[in-house]
Amino acid sequence: MNGTVTPTAQFDTFMLNVPKDDVSFFKKMAKKMGWSIEKKKKEKPRLYDPETGDYLNDETMKVIEDAMNGKGLIEVGSYEDYLKLVNNL
C-alpha cells in the first residue's frame, strides 16, 4: 500500500473514541493509511418548547445558561418592586 486512496475504493464509516493523549498519534496514523477523519462537533444543549413544537434558539439558551450561572440577574426587594420594574419595560 502506498498511502493513496483510489477513487474506486469502497469505504465503511466508523465512530471511534480516541483518548486525548493519543489524538496526535491517531491523526498521524490515519494520514499514513490514507484515511479521512472528521471530528464530531459537540451538540449544544437544547430545550424543547411543547407550545410551539420547536427547540429554543441560541440566544434564549444563552440567557438561560447565564441565569443558571448567576449572570445578568436583577434583584428586587419586594413583589411591588418587581411589578414596577416589569411595568416599566
Side-chain angles (χ1 to χ4, degrees):
M1 176 178 242
N2 61 6
T4 61
V5 178
T6 60
T8 58
Q10 294 185 359
F11 297 95
D12 282 328
T13 302
F14 296 88
M15 187 183 88
L16 178 68
N17 294 315
V18 179
K20 287 188 184 284
D21 292 344
D22 295 334
V23 170
S24 178
F25 169 75
F26 174 72
K27 285 181 178 180
K28 287 177 189 174
M29 184 182 70
K31 185 176 181 179
K32 283 187 177 193
M33 297 294 292
W35 299 344
S36 62
I37 58 173
E38 181 180 323
K39 184 176 179 180
K40 184 178 178 182
K41 295 179 181 178
K42 289 185 178 181
E43 294 183 20
K44 295 179 180 178
R46 290 278 173 230
L47 291 176
Y48 179 72
D49 182 355
E51 290 182 11
T52 64
D54 292 327
Y55 287 86
L56 301 180
N57 62 25
D58 289 340
E59 184 179 354
T60 305
M61 288 301 300
K62 175 144 179 48
V63 170
I64 292 170
E65 288 169 4
D66 286 349
M68 290 173 67
N69 293 321
K71 296 179 185 175
L73 298 179
I74 300 171
E75 290 189 35
V76 293
S78 66
Y79 181 70
E80 288 76 21
D81 291 341
Y82 168 75
L83 287 179
K84 287 179 194 175
L85 179 68
V86 171
N87 288 328
N88 289 329
L89 292 178

